[in-house]
Amino acid sequence: MRKLDISIIGVPLDYGQSRRGVDMGPSAIRYAGAMKRLEAIGHNIQDEGDIQVSALETKNREETNLKNLEEVVQATSELANRVAGVIENGRFPLVFGGDHSIAIGTLAGLTSKYKNQGVIWYDAHADLNTAETSPSGNIHGMPLAVSMGLGHERLVNTFGDGQKVKPENVVIIGARSVDPGERALIKEKGIKVYTMHEIDRDGMTSVMKGAIEYLKSKNLDGVHLSLDLDGLDPLYTPGVGTPVPGGISYRESHLAMEMLEDSGLITSAEFVEVNPILDEKNKTADVAVGLMGSLFGEKLL
């Protein structure tokens, strides 16, 4: 098992969607014992604290159907700089969200080192909408499209102009709620997607083997794990803003994380969409911390 120097960055951002409370996600994950869990495994942990998220402004707003664009741009830009600084110091970036729009900043910051990065998008949703296809205007449904260079220029050009990850370097796992525009984009770009159909039919072991082999064939210089807690079935993670029934089980998710640890592929990670207001006794944050344990090498024997 690798012994890592891990830097934790909290992003208390809830402007990428419409349900308040997910800004408390980083605090909930810390309260659930993330640092102690990772230190017990043997890693060196440094908590970098939370980025500053500006208050919601109502004046001088750009005319767009994207909700809270200014605030998301500010937060993701700051996050990108923080992630780049962590990498420059030779440490592993571990980001706590916050809604999934934060991935725009994480993936942008990672380009300071990783010029051909891969992404595992563990999520019930594809997050491939743009302003033109989004039913809601919520930016947390757009970060993967933005990172591929599609969408509003102020988001796409975070921490450097244009695309941050190539479509062929992405694997989506657990999808079960995909909008029509996203479906068309997946087909157009040939994005690798394992829906719940494949997980049910073939099993998580087969799916993860396929995902790992696919990414290993791409000659990548790094692989980022972006894990939305709504990827799991809401029976296990009730504290998420957009729950979708029929998701990945708790045990399947631990298996997936264990296989990623065994692969040695993961060079950065984020855990997002923990909303304590919607949760039951911090259950969702506890699950997030448990999955971190498996991802970072925790063993029973």
Side-chain angles (χ1 to χ4, degrees), residues 43-62:
H43 301 295
N44 172 40
I45 309 300
Q46 183 171 310
D47 192 342
E48 308 283 350
D50 291 351
I51 70 164
Q52 293 296 312
V53 176
S54 62
L56 197 62
E57 290 284 347
T58 58
K59 298 178 180 178
N60 303 318
R61 303 189 70 84
E62 180 178 334

Side-chain angles (χ1 to χ4, degrees), residues 218-254:
K218 296 296 180 180
N219 195 31
L220 306 172
D221 52 7
V223 176
H224 176 67
L225 170 66
S226 190
L227 190 148
D228 188 323
L229 272 298
D230 74 22
L232 282 78
D233 192 278
L235 287 170
Y236 309 101
T237 55
V240 297
T242 49
V244 184
I248 304 171
S249 76
Y250 178 77
R251 187 54 248 166
E252 286 171 327
S253 295
H254 274 284

